[in-house]
Amino acid sequence: DVFDPERLIQCPLVKHHRIRARRFPYHLVKCKESNPQIAKKLATCPFNARHLVPWADLSDHIVKCNDKAFMEQDVVSRSCEPPQEQVNNGGTWQAPPCEEDWEKELLEGSESTFVWAKLHYSEKNSP
């Protein structure tokens, strides 16, 4: 079963490593760090980062990758959805113009300087 988190998966870096599916992404990170010479010989699949294949086989893997179908299906389903502007009652929201001019304020000098202050307990509780 592909969706069983307890199933054992063979590590693409070190063939005698067998890892539970739920721990596999973590193992890949650690195993890449521990085996940099092997890791640089492997390419990461653009459809599933858990797929590491030799650089020479990457093109063939991309053509045959099962996760490619999921990506294509997702792209097709998104292209069938109306654009977000049409979903919002046909109108498009625009931010109001900003009336602040920080450069102007900087040149003129700020009349009200913001100062961080620490209040003492007695000042906080006084009316």
Side-chain angles (χ1 to χ4, degrees):
D1 181 18
V2 178
F3 300 106
D4 179 11
E6 297 301 317
R7 81 182 189 289
L8 292 175
I9 300 174
Q10 181 180 8
C11 175
L13 294 148
V14 181
K15 300 299 180 190
H16 68 269
H17 289 177
R18 304 263 187 248
I19 305 94
R20 300 224 181 271
R22 63 185 162 86
R23 298 290 311 156
F24 192 68
Y26 306 104
H27 174 81
L28 281 180
V29 171
K30 290 278 198 180
C31 205
K32 280 182 181 181
E33 290 173 358
S34 299
N35 302 287
Q37 294 300 324
I38 299 171
K40 70 180 177 183
K41 295 178 184 178
L42 299 175
T44 302
C45 170
F47 305 114
N48 187 335
R50 296 176 185 186
H51 298 170
L52 298 177
V53 296
W55 280 98
D57 299 338
L58 182 60
S59 297
D60 187 49
H61 174 82
I62 289 172
V63 170
K64 297 176 181 175
C65 182
N66 292 333
D67 292 321
K68 178 181 172 182
F70 292 119
M71 293 292 287
E72 289 172 343
Q73 182 180 0
D74 187 45
V75 168
V76 169
S77 67
R78 288 177 188 229
S79 67
C80 293
E81 296 174 4
Q84 194 62 32
E85 299 88 12
Q86 292 177 4
V87 173
N88 295 331
N89 298 326
T92 56
W93 181 85
Q94 291 184 353
C98 181
E99 295 177 9
E100 293 180 351
D101 187 350
W102 293 357
E103 285 77 20
K104 181 180 173 186
E105 290 177 16
L106 185 63
L107 292 173
E108 293 176 353
S110 180
E111 295 162 8
S112 61
T113 304
F114 181 81
V115 178
W116 283 95
K118 184 175 181 179
L119 297 177
H120 296 285
Y121 182 75
S122 60
E123 291 175 299
K124 283 192 242 178
N125 292 333
S126 63

